[in-house]
């Protein structure tokens, strides 16, 4: 199921105009109810555009922290790698209470992550589930090199399907080949999105009903930009 870039573009102009002001306000039940998957995607991508440009919202930390004691009303769940160079809230220019963030090396859909996403969508009210891979992912590199080390071995094995589906690069299918690693990173994101739909009937049904959107993106360490994967 492809996410329409046209839908994002249509909502992006309106979202970007109000983004700076809205982002300073702590989310409430009322503001969350007004959101749609399309408006949330536009907001996230507008925030990323500002992040790339070096513009940052006033996070209004004290007000948001206090508001959060009464409850949480986030807009999206981002499944990210554990990489310290990918500061998820900053990447999308979001503040306290805006996002659920799940992290696991290689941004794979473990049962724990799937359960957390279901909680986020059904109970937490998020409108978007995003799998966020990133450039030069260490977990992907380890999987490409067939690294074996304790519990990491089992984790990296879950990235193998993405490696197997990437064609070409017969001269070098190791972490030394940056293009190969980049292709595996993208494929891993796409397969993870597909796996979420396949392994979680709860989330798949919500998406079919138009209540949420499940999407994938890849973060560039060089530019800070997130490129959506279809």
């Amino acid at each position: 199921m492809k996410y329409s870039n046209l839908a994002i573009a249509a909502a992006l102009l309106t979202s970007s105009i109000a983004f700076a002001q809205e982002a300073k306000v702590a989310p409430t039940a009322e503001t969350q109810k007004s959101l749609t998957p399309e408006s949330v995607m536009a907001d996230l991508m507008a925030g990323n555009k500002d992040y790339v440009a070096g513009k940052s919202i006033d996070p209004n930390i004290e007000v948001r922290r206090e508001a959060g004691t009464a409850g949480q009303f986030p807009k999206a769940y981002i499944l990210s790698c554990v990489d310290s160079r990918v500061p998820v809230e900053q990447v999308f220019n979001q503040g306290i209470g805006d996002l659920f963030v799940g992290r696991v090396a290689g941004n794979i859909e473990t049962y724990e992550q799937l359960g957390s996403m279901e909680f986020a969508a059904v109970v937490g009210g998020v409108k978007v589930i995003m799998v966020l891979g990133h450039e030069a992912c260490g977990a992907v590199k380890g999987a490409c090199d067939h690294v074996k080390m304790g519990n990491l071995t089992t984790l990296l094995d879950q990235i193998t399907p993405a490696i197997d589906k990437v064609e070409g690069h017969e001269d070098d299918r190791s972490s030394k080949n940056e293009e190969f690693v980049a292709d595996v990173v993208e494929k891993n994101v796409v397969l993870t999105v597909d796996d979420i739909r396949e392994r979680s009937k709860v989330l798949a049904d919500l998406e079919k009903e138009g209540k949420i959107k499940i999407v994938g993106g890849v973060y560039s360490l060089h530019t800070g930009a997130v490129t959506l994967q279809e």
Side-chain angles (χ1 to χ4, degrees):
M1 184 181 297
K2 292 186 177 181
Y3 187 82
S4 172
N5 285 327
L6 185 58
I8 297 175
L12 188 55
L13 180 59
T14 301
S15 176
S16 60
I17 293 174
F19 175 75
Q21 291 142 338
E22 291 178 353
K24 294 179 182 178
V25 179
T28 65
E30 288 71 26
T31 58
Q32 188 190 57
K33 288 179 182 178
S34 70
L35 299 174
T36 65
E38 290 74 23
S39 70
V40 170
M41 281 302 303
D43 182 64
L44 293 174
M45 298 311 292
N48 180 245
K49 183 178 179 180
D50 284 343
Y51 168 77
V52 170
K55 301 175 184 178
S56 179
I57 61 169
D58 175 0
N60 211 353
I61 293 174
E62 292 183 358
V63 172
R64 279 177 168 259
R65 186 170 58 214
E66 180 60 28
T69 63
Q72 60 174 335
F73 308 97
K75 63 187 73 171
Y77 185 108
I78 312 294
L79 171 58
S80 170
C81 181
V82 297
D83 198 290
S84 63
R85 301 165 294 177
V86 188
V88 178
E89 283 89 353
Q90 294 177 46
V91 165
F92 294 104
N93 225 347
Q94 303 295 317
I96 295 172
D98 286 325
L99 303 176
F100 281 121
V101 179
R103 285 185 177 270
V104 59
N107 42 268
I108 56 176
E109 79 298 341
T110 65
Y111 283 110
E112 292 80 6
Q113 290 291 345
L114 288 170
S116 298
M117 291 176 195
E118 291 173 353
F119 167 81
V122 177
V123 181
V126 302
K127 309 301 181 182
V128 168
I129 304 287
M130 179 184 288
V131 179
L132 184 64
H134 70 91
E135 181 182 31
C137 178
V140 168
K141 289 181 178 180
C144 290
D145 291 341
H146 309 289
V147 169
K148 306 295 180 184
M149 185 183 74
N151 291 305
L152 181 63
T153 303
T154 302
L155 187 154
L156 297 184
D157 283 346
Q158 296 182 65
I159 302 175
T160 300
I163 295 173
D164 293 342
K165 285 187 175 295
V166 170
E167 300 178 350
H169 305 285
E170 300 305 334
D171 56 327
D172 185 1
R173 293 175 65 86
S174 75
S175 65
K176 295 180 181 179
N177 185 340
E178 293 183 3
E179 291 185 1
F180 175 59
V181 171
D183 287 348
V184 176
V185 166
E186 292 182 3
K187 182 63 68 174
N188 187 47
V189 167
V190 171
L191 290 184
T192 300
V193 169
D194 290 344
D195 287 346
I196 289 171
R197 293 188 180 116
E198 182 177 342
R199 297 178 63 191
S200 174
K201 186 177 185 301
V202 171
L203 296 176
D205 286 348
L206 286 174
E207 186 174 44
K208 289 175 183 177
E209 294 167 8
K211 295 180 179 178
I212 68 169
K213 206 69 180 170
I214 307 172
V215 301
V218 173
Y219 174 77
S220 169
L221 298 179
H222 287 87
T223 68
V226 172
T227 302
L228 296 178
Q229 303 298 302
E230 298 184 355

